Every structure is written in C-alpha cells, then in structure tokens.
C-alpha cells in the first residue's frame, strides 16, 4: 500500500511487557507481528507491510491521542478485548454516526473501537 501525503502512516505504542502486549492484541484483534529484537515488534498489515509497532524501551503514559479501531461487529470486539484481558473503561455507547467503546490494554494504553452499524 503506498504512503499518502499528510496521512497517519504508522503508530507506535509503548508497552510494559512486549510478549504480553503481543499476546493481548493477537487474542483481541488477530494482529500479527514482526519482531525486530527484544524491545520492538512491528504490527503487520493484512496483505503486507506494517501499520505500527510495540516498543518496550519507553514507559507508557496516558492522556495522548486516542487511537480508534474500526469493527464490523462491535459487541464481539468488546467481548474479545475483555476475554484477552483488556479493561473496558467506557462500554459501548452511541454517538452521531455510530457506536464505540474504549478500553485499556495491559500496559495502560487507552484505545477505542467504533462501528457505523
């Protein structure tokens, strides 16, 4: 997939435990990774390439930009997050244009999942 001028191209998450973070995101969302050493794993894009990375060499902080994932089945996504060990901080709620929920991963990063359904 070619890069597009002035669009978000790559997102890095700081994590406390790289193996636990990979386990969580694989269990919750089916993500796969490319390991680049003991402190970094690239998040693989379906169909090739990378969309981001997990890094354990920087302590996670809260209050940064909110990363929002899309889901075609939001109830299943929330259940998968909880089943993988994530903590839902805002259960599914409606907003103009769709519904979403927010969760905290095992490292304390807060993300959201939305749907237009």
């Amino acid at each position: 997939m070619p890069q597009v001028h002035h669009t978000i191209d790559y997102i890095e998450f700081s994590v406390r435990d790289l193996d636990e973070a990979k386990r969580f995101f694989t269990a919750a969302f089916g993500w796969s990774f490319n390991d680049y050493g003991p402190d970094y794993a690239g998040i693989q894009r379906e169909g090739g390439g990378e969309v981001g990375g997990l890094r354990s060499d920087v302590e996670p902080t809260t209050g940064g930009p909110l990363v929002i994932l899309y889901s075609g089945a939001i109830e299943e996504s929330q259940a998968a997050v909880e089943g993988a060990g994530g903590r839902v901080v805002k259960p599914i709620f409606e907003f103009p244009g769709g519904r979403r929920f927010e969760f905290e991963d095992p490292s304390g990063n807060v993300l959201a999942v939305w749907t237009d359904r």
Side-chain angles (χ1 to χ4, degrees), residues 47-96:
E50 289 184 358
V51 296
L54 305 176
R55 57 185 298 177
S56 63
D57 62 335
V58 176
E59 183 66 22
T61 59
T62 59
L66 180 64
V67 175
I68 303 172
L69 310 174
Y70 178 79
S71 172
I74 198 163
E75 287 85 0
E76 292 174 17
S77 296
Q78 183 172 310
V81 164
E82 292 172 313
R87 184 175 71 87
V88 173
V89 296
K90 287 187 182 176
I92 296 171
F93 64 92
E94 292 187 19
F95 67 93

Side-chain angles (χ1 to χ4, degrees), residues 8 21 26 32 34 36 51 53 57 65 67 79 86 88 91 117:
I8 295 173
T26 298
S32 59
N34 186 32
Y36 291 105
V51 296
D57 62 335
V67 175
V88 173
R117 300 176 183 178

Side-chain angles (χ1 to χ4, degrees), residues 13-16 25 60-62 103-111:
F13 297 96
S14 296
V15 298
R16 290 188 178 93
F25 285 108
T61 59
T62 59
F103 69 93
E104 183 179 79
D105 75 6
S107 293
N109 295 302
V110 175
L111 293 86

